[in-house]
Each structure stands twice: as structure tokens, then as C-alpha cells.
Amino acid sequence: MLFFNSRKYAEETEKKRRKNQTGHSVNQMIALGLLATFPPCRIFLKLHRPKIADQATVEERPAAAGEQVPIIYIHGFRGGDYTTNVMVQAAGQAKGDSRFLKVEADLLGNIRLTGTYTGDSQPIIQLAMKDRFVGYQGINYYLSFVLPFLAHKYGFSHYSAVAHSLGSPCVVATEMRFAQKPGFPRLASCALIAGPFNGVMYLGDIPNVNQLTESGRPSMMTPHYSYMLRHRKDFSPSIRVLNIYGNVLDATNSDRFISVVSAKSIRYVLAPNARFYQEVEVRGETAEHSQMHDEPFVIGILDKFLGLQ
């Protein structure tokens, strides 16, 4: 599993978590996360019959309207709805409609739907993974069943993703993995914020050791990065990509958790074939890993990319 090696980060995220949040205990979340991490063990998760609690409303869409492309907000390790709340609210303000669909899921496949799936061209969906102690493989597992469930239920075939932290490489890898699977929704565009594409600091990436060559290829590669590089042809050239990363301008050249080199390394994988690829570096104190998703500067760029402004 991929963990952030920082007590400070853990404490900060726990403070942000809703005090009345219910669900599995920490020990249960860790155990389920371990099962989700190793594919052969996922059979034990699938022994549970999933429960779908649908308390959401669906706004009728005009018959002559075109296909909907929802925007799905996805958090990372130890994240939750609080991670994407500010971005979701800002997107609603930009649209002139604050309603959105909230999707809460756990690793047993249980899904709870609340809020509204709107009838406009870009409904907003917020994904909250209730078992939050999951790494790269665990988030991939979440996406493998939540995305097709939503596509089938609401009738869309393409979606845009806004992903923070570990959610970012998982969105890219999921698109590659299921590129040829019928019925699995395809990415139309993705905004990747503070993504650890080639390791987390001191976990696969040591500050100022790894370097990018003149072509943008990292000199050292983690197994997850190597997977994306090998499968880059499975990432459709029609996808638009925005990569936002931080640099707090200290000696580590990082956002305190993800190095600039790790965040920028995805360019070598995606940019050559992407329909559109843009990088934005955020600098200074506002570039800290757990703050960027709430920064007005970042949100303004994000909403413009999504066509909400």
C-alpha cells in the first residue's frame, strides 16, 4: 500500500473529518484496505452482498439534449468529502446550480446515493470512499466498481475526473486498464491535482535524487509509473489533461509530500498523445499538498479547464 509518511498530515486530515462520520472502525478499514490491495484477496470482499441505498433525486433531461458528461470529484489516501467540498461548491457556483450527487461507497461494495443528479450537460458527482485507508491498488478497486455502476444507472458513457493526490494516478491507471472493456465509462478530460505519479517522498521518491531527462523521462521509475508508461497507448488521444502540482519553495522541491519531479513525470506518459495537455505549478505556502484543493487560484484554473467559467 502507498502511505504518506507523515504524522502531521494524518493529524490534519483527521481534524477535517466530520466528527459524526459513521462506518467501519479504523482497524476494519485497514483490514479491508489490505484485502483490496491484493487482487487474489478481493474475492473475500465480493462474498458480501452489496447494499444500494438510493436516496437521490434525478432531474429529468430534455429528450433532444445531447449526452451528459458528469464531473466526478475523487479524493486520495485518507481523504474524504472534505477534500473536495470546496471544489464541488465552487463548481456549483460557476454553473449557477449548487446541486450535486454524493456517492458514498465502501470496499464491500455498499453504495449510498444522496443529493441530485442534475439534468444539465455536466452533472457534478462527489465520490467519498468510506474505507479511507487504501493505497493505489485499493483506490483502483473502488473505481473499478463505482464508475460502471454510475454509468449504468445514469446512462453516461464519458465523464470528466477531478482527482486529488493518490486519486490522480488511479484515474489514469483505471482508464488504461479498462480501455477495452465494454460498458466501462471513458474519460473525456481529467484534472490531476498534486498527483504522486512516480512515488511519494521517502516512499519510492527521495527529494532531489530523481531527475527528469531533457525529454521529460524520469531517471528512476516506480512499478506503478512503469505500468502507466507501458500502457500509455491505452490512454485515448481524445482525452484532455490538466496537471496541477505544488512547490512550497523549500529545499525538497515539493509540496511537502510529493516532489515536483514525481508530479511532473506524468507528462512523459500522457503529453505526446493527449488531445490537450497543460501543466500548472503553484508556488509558495498555498502550494502545500493538503491545501491546494481549496485554493481559489487552483479552483479558478480548474473550472476554466472544465468549461464551467
Side-chain angles (χ1 to χ4, degrees), residues 14 82 112 133 159 172 175 186 288:
E14 284 302 305
Y82 57 82
R112 181 171 178 257
F133 290 80
Y159 71 101
V172 174
E175 174 66 21
R186 302 268 77 82
E288 199 273 337

Side-chain angles (χ1 to χ4, degrees), residues 137-155:
Q137 295 291 357
I139 294 178
N140 283 344
Y141 180 64
Y142 264 115
L143 297 180
S144 73
F145 68 83
V146 171
L147 290 176
F149 167 80
L150 293 174
H152 177 74
K153 183 171 182 63
Y154 297 109

